[in-house]
Amino acid sequence: MTDQALVDLAFSMLERSYVPYSRFPVGAALLCAGGQVFTGCNVENAAYGSTICAERTALVKAVSEGCREFSALAVAGNSTDYCWPCGACRQMLYEFAPELTVLVARGDGAFVKLPLKELLPHGFGPKSLG
Ligand code: THU
């Protein structure tokens, strides 16, 4: 799976987003160590705080299907700026994959690649509880 293919999958999920409130679709694609890919989109709710982001949708789909090891995540939005993962998503991803590579795309298709540890330095994870 190339970086571009994972980003393309994230973009393909924009049409699945349920975003009647923000009108801001986000798509994600999460690559597992075994090669499977789990996709996700944001799903909003009339009780706004119950909204789930695209990245966490992909993550809980993967974990609930038995996958817990991940190598890369792509996230995409139609925005001018890169569609940076929110803090809650960074934290949820860090739980399972502190070494994750993150591909962050913007509306014109450009994307940047960086380690999750750069997005969440000194993260609190399972080892922190030791
Ligand atoms: N959103 C995501 O799906 N992922 C993020 O990391 C940032 C924000 C969604 C949540 C909401 O549906 C919309 O973008 C606007 O905040």
Side-chain angles (χ1 to χ4, degrees):
M1 170 73 54
T2 64
D3 291 350
Q4 185 65 60
L6 200 63
V7 168
D8 289 348
L9 276 173
F11 272 113
S12 77
M13 291 303 291
L14 294 179
E15 66 183 22
R16 299 263 177 92
S17 291
Y18 175 72
V19 288
Y21 307 108
S22 73
R23 307 275 177 203
F24 187 81
V26 180
L30 183 60
L31 178 62
C32 303
Q36 307 107 299
V37 177
F38 288 87
T39 54
C41 62
N42 50 340
V43 181
E44 298 187 342
N45 192 273
Y48 300 160
S50 298
T51 291
I52 183 166
C53 293
E55 303 94 307
R56 278 178 288 150
T57 300
L59 181 68
V60 297
K61 281 172 67 178
V63 173
S64 63
E65 293 297 323
C67 296
R68 293 183 180 177
E69 290 178 30
F70 310 108
S71 53
L73 169 101
V75 55
N78 278 325
S79 41
T80 306
D81 188 13
Y82 293 101
C83 189
W84 298 106
C86 78
C89 289
R90 295 177 196 200
Q91 179 65 35
M92 285 283 287
L93 292 163
Y94 191 87
E95 175 76 16
F96 294 95
E99 306 301 327
L100 191 71
T101 295
V102 183
L103 307 168
V104 186
R106 64 186 188 195
D108 67 0
F111 65 88
V112 291
K113 178 176 183 173
L114 70 174
L116 177 61
K117 278 187 173 166
E118 199 170 307
L119 292 172
L120 188 66
H122 307 290
F124 188 91
K127 289 179 182 163
S128 308
L129 292 169

